[in-house]
């Protein structure tokens, strides 16, 4: 029995021990739940603080260019994950702390939470040990992001133009007002080479001398071609900064935030975005705006000016081609040692260099392609290929021609416009300067400008395309006014593209080819639409059957040839839309042209035609007629202009005293689409005209109406904004009814040898007039008559006033007072050959110099003595500074009696340009000019400059660099 009791007792004891061992931890978790949770919370706070401390140190070191060790980055990420796990437990912890019943906790939940707590504690202990072992060894040894990384590329050493550009950019980087710089120019012009050299220059520059060039980091980004993936731009910046970013779709905003925060840590940065084809939003990339981050800059290189402007650059810098000497030096550098070339190679090599026309890419690539070629035949073959616009090697085609072709293709794609490539290729027909108007007229005739209701809309479209081509450097400004030009290499590429598109002869150009004769045995060219023969002065005759070979012609240009007549075969050109015969000075007659039913433009400006051609009234599609007639053999037929109902622009110059009669003028004034008119009339044409002048003149957008035979008409420019009336040789006041009506719409009024001027002006209002030109009038502008005329200024908006040979003009003040003119907006004054002018403005009690006057030109006024501007009539005269004009430009010619500039001195404080020729009485400049820092140009003869007296010699030395000697 005792044995049984001992056995049972032992079993009970062991069972009890086992039960206690299993239950006790759970009971302990339930009982000590709160203390375990609080202990873990304290431990989590400690490791979080350790994490923040290590992360702060790494971020600071990254800002200095160092790179964190991978295991440090992993440790920080693991602590963050543990934190997240701990945060997700908080709701269960809160629930486990509440009592399930009044006095009983939720035992099962507490036990489950305690198990999770223990798991976190185990991870925490491991992470804590690892973190404490890091110590200060957080970053990769011997690794630091360099402020500037060297970028391989060709050096510009010894290239003066490129060096000047480099120095200019360096100065811009030091300018606090400049944040974003746009460097633009043609493909292959050297933009990338320039900024690569800039980058490398910043690596070695002495920042102790030029502290503003000490950027915290310089970042180079090669921008991918469109469509631009912002993530690829961000990835290049992030890689440079040792920053991790995501390249997945939709990660742009997160990446931008990371890049932004990292760059904001820099004291300053320079980001170079190279080869930008489409505008990029810096905010989307994550680059802080330079204006919000002192000392930081962004440089953009692009072929497109409009891309730079869309990115809101502060300043643009265009990169130009090299001059001949610089081109030759670069060519030699790439082709090899010129000293070893045989004599018969060097001249050919120089011609090849000239064919590159200063384009660095072409010079470099073509030069390199000729390296090692020692036979003259090879060089001559290469030159011939270039002249034929055929790349002499695949390397040249790929590296030069395709680079420029990308610009064309990109422009076409960006605007979704196929017309712009056709317009670009058309420009290659011109060997030199291209008149803008001629070019647009040809595009219009060829149908490149689309369908438009009016010529003006087509013209506006043409101007837009020209500006687009200029903005990508496929066209350039020419030296001649209203002309553009095409770079030689760009023209070669255009011809190369055109050849690859079509093998048929679509357009022929023989411009400036010294052609003397044309054959009449031509093969027929049924697809040729353009024939350009201008600037062949020796071409005297065109064969009778010549135009039969070109049945599809839309454009014919024979300007500046010596032709005396057009052959009758011109009448066969039923598709002809544009016929240009400018400056054919031997041409005095045209054949009957009634068959040219599709003709839209006929330009016979500055020819010697003696009559309108027969059949003019049949040209019902004519939109623009520009014709100069010599001495008329016969009057203009009635009804000619009446049939030209679609005519929009009419320029009809008649020389040798000829004018358009009243009947023809009535027909012209009734043309419903006429918006531009240049015409010579006599006074009777208007006075007996049946037209309602208000109605038809209101319709005109520009006009130049000359009434009477005038010698000044050539001085009056006819441009897109001219609204001019020129009157000569009759009594204005007697014609005041019709003239008042016409002047309502005029902006420019030219008067020559006219009577009745003063009464006419004093009794009428001309609010629209901005320019007044008076030639050869001899009025006596005496004192104003009290109560006469009207109270208001008759010309309140007058900006430009010119007198020529007005003998009785003594001062502008007298003229103004007499006519009631206040000159409140006068900006420019020009007086010449007025022999009785004694001063410009009289001062008597109130200062009367127009306060907005900016430019003064005086010449051949021999009685202009003593003072230039003011002749005081009272010792009490005072000058109010707010009323003193800020004259910027002063031009003085042949004023032998003039001695001084006159008072007040402050009139010359803003002078920027001074020219003094044959005014030897002027021995001293006003002190305000001597001490001025505004002066940019002073021109005169060296003997005059040497004879000037100075208040201080240092004033002369300060202005010496502004002076230019005029021989």
């Amino acid at each position: 029995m005792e044995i049984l009791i001992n056995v049972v007792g032992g079993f009970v004891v062991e069972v009890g021990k086992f039960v206690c061992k299993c239950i006790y931890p759970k009971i302990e978790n339930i009982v000590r739940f709160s203390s375990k949770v609080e202990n873990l919370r304290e431990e989590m706070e400690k490791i979080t603080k350790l994490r923040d401390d290590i992360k702060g140190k790494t971020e600071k070191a990254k800002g200095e260019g160092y790179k964190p060790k991978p295991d440090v980055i992993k440790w920080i990420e693991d602590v963050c994950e543990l934190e997240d796990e701990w945060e997700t437990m908080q709701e269960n912890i809160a629930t486990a702390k509440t009592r399930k019943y009044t006095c009983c906790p939720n035992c099962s939940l507490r036990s489950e939470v305690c198990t999770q707590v223990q798991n976190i504690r185990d991870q925490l202990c491991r992470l804590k040990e690892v973190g404490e072992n890091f110590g200060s060894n957080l970053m990769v040894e011997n690794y630091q992001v360099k402020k500037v990384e060297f970028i391989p590329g060709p050096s510009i050493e010894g290239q003066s133009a490129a060096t000047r550009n480099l120095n200019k950019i360096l100065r811009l980087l030091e300018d606090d007002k400049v944040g974003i710089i746009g460097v633009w120019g043609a493909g292959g012009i050297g933009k990338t080479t320039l900024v690569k050299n800039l980058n490398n220059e910043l690596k070695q520059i002495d920042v102790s001398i030029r502290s503003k060039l000490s950027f915290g980091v310089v970042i180079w980004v090669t921008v991918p071609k469109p469509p631009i993936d912002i993530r690829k731009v961000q990835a290049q910046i992030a890689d440079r900064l040792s920053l991790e970013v995501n390249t997945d779709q939709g990660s742009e905003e997160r990446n931008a935030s990371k890049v932004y925060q990292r760059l904001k840590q820099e004291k300053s940065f320079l980001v170079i975005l190279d080869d930008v084809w489409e505008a990029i939003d810096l905010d989307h990339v994550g680059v802080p705006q330079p204006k919000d981050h002192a000392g930081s800059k962004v440089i953009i290189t692009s072929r497109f000016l409009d891309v730079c402007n869309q990115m809101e650059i502060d300043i643009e810098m265009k990169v130009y081609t090299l001059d001949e000497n610089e081109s030759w030096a670069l060519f030699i550098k790439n082709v090899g040692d010129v000293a070893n070339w045989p004599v018969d190679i060097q001249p050919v090599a120089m011609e090849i260099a000239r064919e590159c026309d200063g384009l660095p890419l072409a010079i470099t690539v073509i030069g390199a392609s000729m390296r090692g070629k020692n036979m003259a035949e090879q060089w001559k073959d290469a030159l011939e290929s270039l002249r034929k616009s055929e790349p002499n090697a695949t390397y040249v085609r790929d590296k030069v021609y395709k680079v420029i072709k990308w610009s064309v293709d990109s422009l076409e794609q960006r605007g979704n416009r196929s017309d712009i490539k056709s317009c670009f290729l058309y420009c290659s027909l011109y060997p030199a300067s291209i008149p803008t108007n001629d070019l647009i007229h040809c595009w219009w005739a060829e149908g490149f400008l689309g369908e438009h209701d009016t010529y003006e809309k087509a013209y506006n479209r043409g101007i837009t395309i020209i500006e687009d081509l200029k903005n990508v450097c496929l066209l350039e400004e020419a030296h001649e006014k209203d002309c553009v030009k095409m770079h030689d290499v760009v023209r070669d590429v255009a011809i190369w593209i055109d050849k690859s598109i079509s093998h048929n002869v679509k357009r022929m150009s023989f411009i400036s080819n010294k052609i003397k004769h044309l054959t009449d045995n031509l093969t027929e060219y049924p697809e040729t639409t353009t024939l350009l023969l201008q600037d062949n002065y020796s071409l005297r005759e065109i064969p009778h059957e010549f135009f039969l070979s070109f049945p599809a012609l839309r454009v014919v240009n024979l300007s500046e040839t010596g032709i005396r007549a057009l052959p009758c075969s011109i009448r066969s050109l039923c598709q002809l839309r544009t016929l240009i015969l400018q400056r054919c000075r031997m041409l005095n007659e045209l054949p009957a042209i009634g068959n040219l039913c599709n003709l839209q433009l006929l330009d016979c400006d500055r020819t010697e035609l003696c009559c309108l051609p027969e059949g003019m009234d049949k040209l019902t599609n004519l939109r623009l007629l520009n014709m100069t007639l010599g001495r008329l053999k016969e009057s203009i037929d009635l009804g000619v202009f009446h049939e030209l109902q679609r005519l929009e622009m009419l320029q009809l110059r008649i020389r040798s005293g000829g004018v358009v009669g009243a009947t023809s003028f009535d027909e012209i004034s009734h043309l419903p689409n006429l918006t531009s008119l240049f015409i010579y009339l006599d006074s009777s044409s208007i006075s007996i005209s049946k037209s309602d002048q208000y109605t038809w003149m209101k319709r005109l957008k520009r006009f130049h109406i000359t009434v009477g035979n005038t010698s000044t008409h050539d001085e009056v420019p006819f441009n897109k904004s001219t609204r001019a009336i020129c009157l000569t040789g009759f009594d204005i006041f007697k014609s005041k009814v019709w003239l008042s009506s016409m002047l309502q719409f005029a902006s420019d009024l030219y008067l020559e040898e006219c009577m009745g001027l003063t009464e006419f002006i004093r009794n009428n209002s001309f609010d629209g007039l901005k320019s007044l030109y008076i030639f050869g009038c001899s009025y006596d502008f005496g004192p104003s008559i009290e109560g006469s005329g009207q109270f208001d200024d008759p010309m309140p908006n007058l900006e430009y006033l010119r007198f020529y040979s007005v003998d009785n003009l003594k001062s502008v003040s007298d003229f103004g007072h007499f006519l009631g003119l206040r000159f409140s907006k006068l900006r420019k004054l020009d007086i010449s050959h007025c022999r009785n002018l004694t001063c410009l403005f009289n001062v008597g009690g109130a200062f009367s110099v127009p306060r907005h006057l900016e430019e003064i030109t005086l010449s051949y006024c021999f009685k202009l003595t003593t003072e230039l501007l003011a002749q005081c009539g009272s010792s009490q005269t005072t000058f109010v500074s707010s009323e003193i004009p800020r004259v910027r430009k002063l031009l003085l010619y042949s004023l032998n009696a003039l001695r001084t500039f006159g008072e007040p001195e402050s009139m010359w404080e803003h002078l920027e340009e001074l020219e003094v020729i044959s005014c030897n009485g002027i021995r001293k400049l006003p002190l305000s000019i001597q001490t001025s820092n505004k002066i940019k140009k002073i021109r005169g003869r060296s003997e005059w400059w040497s004879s000037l007296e100075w208040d201080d010699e240092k004033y002369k030395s300060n202005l010496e660099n502004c002076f230019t000697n005029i021989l």
Side-chain angles (χ1 to χ4, degrees):
M1 185 68 178
E2 185 178 351
I3 294 172
L4 179 59
I5 291 172
N6 289 337
V7 171
V8 172
F11 174 75
V12 170
V13 170
E14 291 300 322
V15 170
K17 287 181 180 180
F18 176 76
V19 170
C20 288
K21 187 175 181 181
C22 293
I23 295 176
Y24 179 77
K26 294 184 179 181
I27 295 174
E28 183 183 30
N29 286 344
I30 294 169
V31 174
R32 300 182 59 194
F33 174 78
S34 295
S35 62
K36 286 190 173 187
V37 169
E38 289 306 314
N39 288 340
L40 182 58
R41 192 183 305 279
E42 292 174 3
E43 293 297 321
M44 283 300 303
E45 289 175 356
K46 290 178 182 178
I47 199 167
T48 299
K49 184 178 179 181
L50 178 61
R51 186 274 318 275
D52 292 343
D53 181 51
I54 291 175
K55 186 177 181 181
K57 290 178 180 178
T58 60
E59 291 296 332
K60 181 180 179 181
K62 281 165 64 178
E64 296 172 354
Y66 293 95
K67 183 177 181 180
K69 288 183 174 180
D71 54 344
V72 173
I73 296 172
K74 180 66 167 58
W75 181 86
I76 293 173
E77 292 173 350
D78 288 345
V79 173
C80 290
E81 289 180 6
L82 190 65
E83 251 191 318
D84 292 341
E85 189 176 343
W86 170 245
E87 287 300 320
T88 57
M89 288 177 56
Q90 298 308 305
E91 186 177 349
N92 285 344
I93 290 173
T95 303
K97 283 184 177 180
T98 60
R99 296 182 179 275
K100 192 172 183 181
Y101 301 105
T102 306
C103 59
C104 181
N106 190 335
C107 298
S108 61
L109 182 57
R110 285 194 174 190
S111 178
E112 181 182 339
V113 170
C114 280
T115 301
Q116 293 174 351
V117 166
Q118 187 60 46
N119 289 336
I120 290 177
R121 183 185 297 279
D122 293 342
Q123 294 180 63
L124 187 149
C125 291
R126 177 180 59 81
L127 290 172
K128 181 181 179 183
E129 181 181 0
V130 173
E132 289 175 344
N133 288 335
F134 282 145
S136 60
N137 192 19
L138 303 173
M139 313 306 288
V140 176
E141 294 181 7
N142 300 322
Y143 183 94
Q144 183 179 13
V145 176
K146 298 176 182 178
K147 289 186 176 183
V148 186
E149 285 187 339
F150 178 82
I151 299 178
S155 171
I156 61 171
E157 185 178 357
Q159 299 177 33
S160 56
T163 301
R164 287 194 301 271
N165 287 333
L166 174 61
N167 290 330
K168 182 177 180 180
I169 299 181
L170 289 170
R171 288 193 298 271
L172 291 174
L173 291 177
E174 294 176 299
D175 189 339
D176 294 333
K177 297 178 182 178
V178 176
I180 307 178
I181 303 167
V183 179
W184 71 288
I189 202 73
K191 304 180 297 294
T192 298
T193 298
L194 176 63
V195 290
K196 280 184 177 180
N197 278 266
L198 168 72
N199 178 91
N200 298 339
E201 180 71 14
L202 291 173
K203 185 177 176 64
Q204 59 190 21
I205 205 162
D206 188 347
V207 295
S208 65
I209 298 175
R210 306 181 73 173
S211 58
K212 289 186 177 181
L213 297 177
S214 176
F215 296 100
V217 63
V218 178
I219 303 171
W220 178 282
V221 178
T222 300
V223 180
K225 296 285 191 299
I228 296 174
D229 188 341
I230 291 295
R231 291 167 301 173
K232 291 182 179 179
V233 177
Q234 292 169 332
Q236 291 183 62
I237 297 174
D239 183 64
R240 177 74 175 86
L241 298 171
S242 301
L243 191 67
E244 297 290 332
V245 293
N246 197 335
T247 56
D248 295 338
Q249 189 72 31
S251 60
E252 292 90 340
E253 288 188 10
R254 293 192 302 276
N255 291 346
S257 179
K258 287 183 179 181
V259 169
Y260 181 87
Q261 294 300 329
R262 174 64 182 82
L263 284 174
K264 287 293 280 186
Q265 294 175 14
E266 295 290 343
K267 65 163 187 172
S268 64
F269 61 81
L270 168 62
V271 175
I272 301 172
L273 300 171
D274 184 47
D275 201 19
V276 182
W277 288 62
E278 288 182 352
I280 301 172
D281 191 324
L282 296 179
D283 294 331
H284 290 171
V285 176
V287 175
Q289 294 289 341
K291 63 184 178 182
D292 300 327
H293 197 286
S296 295
K297 311 283 181 179
V298 173
I299 294 177
I300 301 157
T301 75
S302 180
R303 301 182 186 190
F304 314 110
L305 177 58
D306 62 334
V307 167
C308 295
N309 290 332
Q310 288 169 31
M311 293 187 67
E312 299 181 357
I313 60 173
D314 295 305
I315 192 167
E316 65 166 89
M317 178 179 159
K318 186 174 181 180
V319 181
Y320 294 92
T321 52
L322 307 179
D323 64 27
E324 190 167 327
N325 291 333
E326 292 168 336
S327 298
W328 179 240
L330 183 60
F331 189 78
I332 291 174
K333 180 179 177 181
N334 285 275
V335 81
D337 187 4
V338 67
N340 295 326
W341 292 354
V343 175
D344 55 347
I345 287 181
Q346 186 173 0
V348 183
M350 296 181 75
E351 285 298 315
I352 290 176
R354 289 191 191 101
E355 285 291 321
C356 297
D357 201 18
L359 189 68
L361 178 67
I363 295 167
T364 302
V365 171
I366 293 173
S369 72
M370 300 304 295
R371 180 182 285 271
K373 295 184 178 179
N374 300 318
M375 297 179 68
E377 290 80 3
Q378 293 173 296
W379 286 85
K380 291 175 182 177
D381 180 62
L383 177 59
E384 183 67 18
S385 295
L386 286 172
R387 286 176 171 170
K388 289 182 177 179
S389 304
E390 297 173 353
N392 64 317
T394 303
Y395 181 64
V396 175
R397 183 193 65 202
D398 292 343
K399 294 294 183 180
V400 179
Y401 281 45
K402 287 188 176 179
V403 166
I404 297 171
K405 184 177 182 295
W406 286 333
S407 293
V408 182
D409 294 341
S410 172
L411 191 61
E412 183 180 29
Q413 292 163 8
R414 285 195 304 148
N416 193 24
R417 293 152 39 186
S418 58
D419 56 349
I420 201 161
K421 178 180 280 189
S422 299
C423 291
F424 164 71
L425 297 178
Y426 199 97
C427 295
S428 66
L429 296 173
Y430 296 80
S433 294
I434 312 170
T436 301
N437 282 353
D438 280 8
L439 184 60
I440 293 176
H441 293 161
C442 293
W443 286 348
W444 181 40
E446 287 276 9
F448 298 158
L449 302 180
E451 296 296 327
H452 295 282
D453 298 336
T454 65
Y455 162 78
E456 184 170 9
K457 290 179 181 179
Y459 187 89
N460 293 342
R461 177 67 171 155
I463 290 293
T464 299
I465 290 176
I466 286 175
E467 290 304 307
D468 287 346
L469 290 170
K470 283 163 58 179
N471 287 345
V472 296
C473 300
L474 294 173
L475 285 181
E476 305 170 7
E477 290 284 356
H479 294 299
E480 296 86 347
K481 185 180 179 183
D482 297 325
C483 290
V484 292
K485 65 178 181 178
M486 182 176 267
H487 187 280
D488 285 352
V489 177
V490 175
R491 182 183 296 103
D492 290 344
V493 173
I495 294 171
W496 172 67
I497 294 172
D498 202 27
K499 287 179 180 177
S500 66
I501 293 174
S502 174
H503 297 289
N504 296 325
V505 181
K506 292 282 289 182
R507 298 172 189 94
M508 291 185 180
S509 175
F510 303 97
I511 301 173
S512 302
N513 269 8
K514 299 181 179 179
I515 294 174
K516 295 183 179 180
H517 305 285
L518 295 173
T519 178
D520 56 358
N521 296 318
L522 286 174
T523 305
E524 186 168 309
Y525 295 92
E527 296 186 26
T528 300
T529 56
T530 287
L531 179 62
L532 304 181
L533 283 160
Q534 61 261 43
D535 299 333
N536 288 292
Y537 304 101
S538 300
L539 182 60
R540 297 281 188 264
E541 187 178 356
I542 299 176
H544 291 294
E545 308 297 321
F546 180 78
F547 287 112
L548 297 178
S549 299
F550 304 93
L553 280 180
R554 290 183 167 214
V555 176
V556 172
N557 193 334
L558 288 160
S559 298
E560 297 191 82
T561 58
I563 59 171
R564 299 175 182 273
L566 282 179
C568 293
S569 59
I570 191 79
R571 294 183 294 187
S572 67
L573 302 180
C574 296
Q575 299 302 315
L576 191 65
R577 298 189 179 187
T578 291
L579 177 59
I580 305 175
L581 302 164
Q582 292 182 2
R583 296 178 296 283
C584 292
R585 302 189 187 278
M586 305 299 290
L587 184 65
N588 53 39
E589 193 171 357
L590 293 180
I593 57 175
N595 286 0
L596 306 181
C597 54
N598 284 302
L599 196 66
Q600 295 179 330
L601 184 151
L602 176 58
D603 190 345
C604 302
D605 189 31
R606 304 195 186 277
T607 60
E608 291 296 327
L609 297 177
C610 56
C611 61
L612 292 180
E614 182 183 342
M616 274 284 297
D617 55 329
K618 301 294 193 300
L619 305 181
T620 55
N621 282 305
L622 201 62
R623 303 283 190 90
L624 190 154
L625 174 60
N626 185 3
M627 187 166 287
T628 301
L629 299 176
R631 186 174 296 278
L632 291 176
K633 291 195 304 185
E634 54 190 53
S635 61
I636 298 174
D637 292 339
L638 299 181
V640 170
F641 293 109
H642 181 270
E643 299 301 322
L644 307 181
Q645 293 291 298
R646 302 189 72 183
L647 199 64
E648 298 176 39
M649 297 183 67
L650 172 61
Q651 296 187 49
L652 191 58
R653 293 181 173 90
I654 304 179
R655 293 203 294 270
S656 304
V659 290
V660 174
T663 305
S664 293
F665 179 63
D666 263 341
E667 292 179 5
I668 291 169
S669 63
H670 283 89
L671 293 175
N673 294 300
L674 193 68
T675 60
S676 179
L677 177 65
F678 188 126
I679 196 168
Y680 291 177
L681 306 169
D682 58 21
S683 56
S684 63
S685 299
I686 298 179
S687 58
I688 66 174
S689 172
K690 301 175 183 178
S691 302
D692 179 354
Q693 290 176 11
Y694 181 84
T695 301
W696 76 267
M697 288 198 70
K698 186 178 181 180
R699 190 168 64 241
L700 296 178
K701 295 181 179 179
R702 64 196 63 83
F703 55 82
H704 182 141
I705 299 174
T706 298
V707 184
N709 184 22
T710 177
S711 62
T712 61
H713 56 78
D714 286 335
E715 298 183 23
V716 185
F718 186 57
N719 54 40
K720 301 172 185 65
S721 59
T722 297
R723 299 170 70 85
I725 293 177
C726 305
L727 308 172
T728 184
F730 59 93
D731 193 326
I732 297 174
F733 191 68
K734 290 181 180 179
S735 307
K736 61 183 179 181
V737 176
W738 59 261
L739 185 56
S740 297
S741 178
M742 289 178 67
L743 284 173
Q744 291 183 61
F745 306 99
S747 60
D748 304 84
L749 176 60
Y750 294 75
L751 304 172
E752 180 180 4
E753 300 292 348
C754 292
M755 304 301 293
L757 169 66
T758 54
E759 287 300 316
F760 179 70
I761 291 179
R762 289 168 61 184
N763 290 281
N764 289 279
S765 178
F766 311 98
D767 290 354
L769 274 184
K770 294 187 176 182
S771 301
L772 175 61
Y773 306 74
I774 301 178
F775 299 86
C777 298
S778 55
Y779 308 113
D780 182 13
F781 301 111
S784 61
I785 303 171
E786 292 295 331
S788 67
Q790 56 186 34
F791 178 79
D792 293 333
D793 185 344
M795 298 182 185
N797 295 304
L798 192 66
E799 296 179 4
Y800 180 25
L801 177 60
R802 183 183 180 192
F803 297 96
Y804 182 91
S805 192
V806 182
D807 291 343
N808 292 334
L809 180 70
K810 294 182 179 180
S811 77
V812 178
S813 298
D814 288 347
F815 174 79
H817 286 319
F818 187 68
L819 298 177
L821 303 175
R822 298 177 185 174
F823 303 128
S824 57
K825 293 186 178 179
L826 190 68
R827 297 184 182 277
K828 185 175 179 181
L829 179 63
D830 188 341
I831 303 179
S832 181
H833 293 84
C834 294
R835 62 186 181 184
N836 287 307
L837 185 77
T838 55
C839 71
L840 285 185
F841 299 98
N842 289 314
V843 177
F847 186 52
S848 58
V849 179
R851 65 187 218 177
H852 294 296
L853 190 61
E854 295 181 353
E855 184 175 332
I856 300 172
T857 302
L858 293 170
S859 57
Y860 300 98
C861 298
F862 301 120
K863 285 191 178 180
L864 186 61
T865 60
T866 313
E867 295 180 336
L868 175 63
L869 278 179
Q871 184 176 2
C872 295
S874 169
S875 59
Q876 303 299 317
T877 299
T878 58
F879 302 109
V880 182
S881 61
S882 63
E883 295 179 350
I884 295 174
R886 298 185 172 188
V887 178
R888 295 185 298 103
K889 187 174 182 179
L890 179 61
L891 309 177
L892 307 175
Y893 309 105
S894 297
L895 306 174
N896 296 334
L898 186 64
R899 298 289 180 266
T900 66
F901 283 49
E903 296 291 342
E905 279 272 334
S906 51
M907 280 206 60
W908 314 113
E909 288 179 351
H910 299 274
L911 198 67
E912 297 175 5
E913 186 174 342
L914 173 65
E915 187 164 320
V916 181
I917 308 293
S918 298
C919 302
N920 297 325
I922 297 176
R923 295 298 184 184
K924 187 176 180 180
L925 300 179
L927 183 61
S928 56
I929 295 181
Q930 294 184 45
T931 59
S932 174
N933 57 4
K934 302 278 188 179
I935 287 280
K936 297 176 182 176
K937 296 178 182 177
I938 300 177
R939 292 187 294 271
R941 294 197 173 97
S942 57
E943 54 268 26
W944 168 78
W945 178 255
S946 301
S947 68
L948 285 176
E949 300 172 4
W950 300 85
D951 290 83
D952 192 319
E953 279 299 316
K954 71 178 182 181
Y955 298 155
K956 180 179 181 180
S957 61
N958 289 339
L959 294 178
E960 199 83 53
N961 63 330
C962 300
F963 178 72
T964 301
N965 179 33
I966 296 179
L967 300 176

